[in-house]
Amino acid sequence: MEASQVLLMTPKTEEVGQKALTYSDQIAALPPIKTADEYLQVNDLWKAGKAILDEVSEAYDDLIKSAHKLHKDAIAKKAKYYDPADKAVRAAKALMSTYDAEQERIRQAEQRRLQEEARKREEESRLAAAIEAEQAGAAEEAEEIINEPVYVAPVVVPKATPKVAGGPVFQTRWFASVVDIKALCRAVADGKASTEYVMGLEKDRVSGVISCPALNKMATALKSTLNVPGVKAMSKRV
């Protein structure tokens, strides 16, 4: 049996509860009033019902207050232990996210370097082949070799961050930041931007970023290609 049920099941509440249900059944069984005497009888029943309502309130109000206090105390107790642990979990994820982002930056830089090296090798090989063809008297073939687009197979550098089962998932969230509210308002007035972009504009208390739901939705969809006067698309890893 749950604690809430035990709390509500006391002799006093059981007694008054049964009285209220009996009274409810009694009123439900009454026929329509046809005489003045019956009207007076129902009036007495109405008064009795008001008294029963007072009894129910008296029986349960203290229990409700106690339950509410217990609820508040339980929430506060949970927060005392949950909040610091939750903050620590977020801090651990932030450390991992920073490392992961740096490794991704290094990976992409290395990938670009290797791709450029492969492109240069292909160009040098192509040039050597063209020179050889030219020296062999095949001028047209040499020209074709030189003019042929250079294609290099994509270079893929594996990610260095270890894969961990059940580890945190890092996401990039895009949002909009109004950097020039006058430019945005002019664009709306000139019909170059939706009026929704100035509805619900609000400044975040922590970051100081000014934005609204419509702009954030567009930033999420368009990312860095967002093109609204006075607005900049930004991202953060979470």
Side-chain angles (χ1 to χ4, degrees):
M1 186 176 295
E2 295 182 1
S4 59
Q5 293 176 310
V6 174
L7 181 63
L8 298 178
M9 291 176 62
T10 66
K12 183 178 180 180
T13 57
E14 285 292 293
E15 180 183 350
V16 73
Q18 188 57 50
K19 184 186 292 188
L21 293 177
T22 300
Y23 173 78
S24 177
D25 292 340
Q26 182 182 4
I27 298 301
L30 289 176
I33 297 174
K34 294 182 179 180
T35 67
D37 287 341
E38 290 177 348
Y39 180 86
L40 293 174
Q41 290 172 5
V42 173
N43 179 63
D44 290 339
L45 288 172
W46 178 83
K47 290 180 180 179
K50 293 289 287 183
I52 289 174
L53 289 177
D54 289 339
E55 287 185 55
V56 171
S57 293
E58 182 182 352
Y60 279 92
D61 282 351
D62 287 343
L63 291 175
I64 291 172
K65 290 178 182 178
S66 297
H68 181 63
K69 184 178 185 305
L70 180 63
H71 178 69
K72 288 178 63 178
D73 290 346
I75 289 177
K77 194 75 170 179
K78 175 186 175 182
K80 178 180 178 181
Y81 303 113
Y82 185 92
D83 290 354
D86 181 58
K87 185 177 180 181
V89 167
R90 293 173 184 273
K93 182 179 180 180
L95 290 171
M96 296 173 71
S97 178
T98 299
Y99 175 84
D100 181 68
E102 177 62 14
Q103 294 306 306
E104 178 63 13
R105 185 194 66 77
I106 294 172
R107 186 191 72 82
Q108 290 186 10
E110 179 65 5
Q111 192 164 278
R112 287 192 297 270
R113 186 185 70 80
L114 294 176
Q115 190 78 36
E116 180 62 19
E117 285 186 355
R119 185 189 65 78
K120 288 181 178 179
R121 285 196 299 271
E122 178 63 20
E123 286 181 346
E124 291 172 357
S125 175
R126 190 77 60 81
L127 180 59
I131 292 174
E132 184 178 346
E134 180 72 27
Q135 291 176 345
E140 291 185 4
E141 182 181 347
E143 186 175 353
E144 288 179 1
I145 293 174
I146 291 296
N147 293 331
E148 186 179 350
V150 176
Y151 171 77
V152 178
V155 177
V156 178
V157 176
K159 196 171 182 178
T161 303
K163 291 184 178 181
V164 288
V169 176
F170 306 117
Q171 297 177 332
T172 299
R173 290 185 181 174
W174 286 85
F175 59 96
S177 176
V178 178
V179 294
D180 188 341
I181 194 166
K182 290 183 180 179
L184 174 60
C185 290
R186 280 197 300 269
V188 172
D190 295 341
K192 297 178 180 179
S194 171
T195 55
E196 292 185 354
Y197 294 164
V198 293
M199 294 180 180
L201 284 175
E202 188 175 2
K203 184 176 183 179
D204 185 84
R205 294 181 180 180
V206 178
S207 65
V209 171
I210 299 174
S211 192
C212 69
L215 283 173
N216 285 330
K217 184 177 180 180
M218 291 302 295
T220 299
L222 300 178
K223 299 179 175 57
S224 60
T225 62
L226 177 69
N227 184 20
V228 177
V231 179
K232 181 179 179 181
M234 305 180 70
S235 66
K236 62 179 180 180
R237 283 170 58 88
V238 295

